[in-house]
C-alpha cells in the first residue's frame, strides 16, 4: 500500500460508539474519511463535521450494509469523492435482543447475520476488487470488527451474536490468506466489554457495572482504546501482521 498522503479510510457504522471513535482517529491521522450510517444522519454528520473542523476531509454516506445495493453505492460514492480506499474498517454490526438460544427467532438470526456476516463479506468484496494488485490496485488494509464473544460464546445473552462474530473471524483468517500476495492485509479486532451505548440500547444498561468485576483489569474499555488498535493495524507499523484477531478486552 502506498504511504503517500492523503490516504482514504472507510469505516462502516461510523455515526456513534466505536465507529465514530475510529472515524475521528483516522481524521487525526490524516486520512480522508468516509463513514457510513444506517439511520443516524445527525450523528454521522456531527462526526464528519468534527473531522472537517479539525482540517480533515470526511464524507458521510447512508448505507445499510446488509443490502448489497447500498454497499455498492457506498463504495461508488467513495470512488467519486476520494478514489479507491486504502483502508476498510468493517465496524457496522448488530447484537439483536438479549436472550437464550431457546428463545431465538429466525427473524433475529436473519437480521444479525445479514449485518454482521453478509455485510462484512460484501464490503470486503468491494474493497478487494479495488485494492488487490491482481485487479490493478495498489494494495490496502481491511480491519474487521469481531468480538471476544466469538470465543467466550455469549451464553445466556447473545449466542447468536457470538456465532456471527465467529463467522467474522473465519472470514478474516480465510481472506487474509487468500489475498496475502496481492498487497492486502486482513485482520480483526475483538473488543470485550466496551463503554458505549450498545448495552443500554440492547436493554441492559447495568451490564457493564455487573460484568466489570469479571474483567482482569476491573474496568470496561473505551471506544478510543479500540480505535487505537484499529489505527495500528491500518498503519505501516503492523506491516507483517495479517490473519490476526487482536483482543482488546482488558484480559477477559
Amino acid at each position: 500500500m502506498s504511504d503517500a498522503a492523503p490516504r482514504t479510510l472507510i469505516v462502516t457504522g461510523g455515526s456513534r460508539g466505536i465507529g465514530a471513535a475510529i472515524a475521528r482517529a483516522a481524521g487525526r491521522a490524516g486520512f480522508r474519511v468516509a463513514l457510513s450510517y444506517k439511520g443516524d444522519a445527525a450523528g454521522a454528520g456531527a462526526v464528519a463535521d468534527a473531522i472537517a473542523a479539525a482540517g480533515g476531509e470526511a464524507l458521510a454516506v447512508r448505507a445499510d450494509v446488509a443490502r448489497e445495493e447500498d454497499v455498492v453505492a457506498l463504495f461508488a460514492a467513495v470512488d467519486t469523492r476520494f478514489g479507491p480506499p486504502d483502508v476498510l474498517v468493517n465496524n457496522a454490526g448488530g447484537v439483536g435482543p438479549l436472550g437464550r438460544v431457546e428463545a431465538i427467532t429466525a427473524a433475529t438470526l436473519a437480521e444479525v447475520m445479514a449485518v454482521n456476516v453478509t455485510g462484512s463479506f460484501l464490503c470486503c468484496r468491494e474493497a478487494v476488487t479495488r485494492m488487490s494488485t491482481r485487479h490493478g490496485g495498489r494494495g490496502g488494509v481491511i480491519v474487521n470488527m469481531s468480538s471476544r464473544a466469538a470465543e467466550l460464546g455469549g451464553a445466556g445473552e447473545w449466542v447468536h451474536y457470538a456465532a456471527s462474530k465467529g463467522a467474522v473471524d473465519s472470514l478474516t483468517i480465510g481472506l487474509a490468506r487468500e489475498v496475502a500476495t496481492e498487497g492486502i492485509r486482513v485482520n480483526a479486532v475483538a473488543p470485550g466489554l466496551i463503554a458505549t451505548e450498545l448495552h443500554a440500547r440492547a436493554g441492559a444498561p447495568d451490564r457493564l457495572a455487573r460484568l466489570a468485576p469479571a474483567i482482569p483489569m476491573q474496568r470496561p474499555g473505551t471506544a478510543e482504546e479500540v480505535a487505537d488498535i484499529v489505527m495500528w493495524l491500518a498503519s505501516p507499523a503492523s506491516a507483517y501482521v495479517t490473519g490476526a484477531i487482536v483482543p482488546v478486552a482488558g484480559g477477559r
Side-chain angles (χ1 to χ4, degrees), residues 55-83:
E57 293 183 80
L59 171 68
V61 181
R62 196 209 69 79
D64 178 354
V65 298
R67 293 169 53 87
E68 185 172 21
E69 56 268 40
D70 282 15
V71 172
V72 170
L74 166 63
F75 278 80
V78 176
D79 289 341
T80 299
R81 176 73 177 271
F82 297 137

Side-chain angles (χ1 to χ4, degrees), residues 8-9 11 23-24 26-27 31-35 44-53 55-61 78 81-82:
T8 297
L9 178 146
V11 54
R24 291 190 295 265
F31 283 95
R32 298 175 296 193
V33 180
L35 56 125
V47 174
D49 288 347
I51 293 169
E57 293 183 80
L59 171 68
V61 181
V78 176
R81 176 73 177 271
F82 297 137

Side-chain angles (χ1 to χ4, degrees), residues 29 58 65 80 97 105 117 160 184 197:
V65 298
T80 299
T105 66
V117 182
H160 47 287
I184 304 174
E197 75 287 344

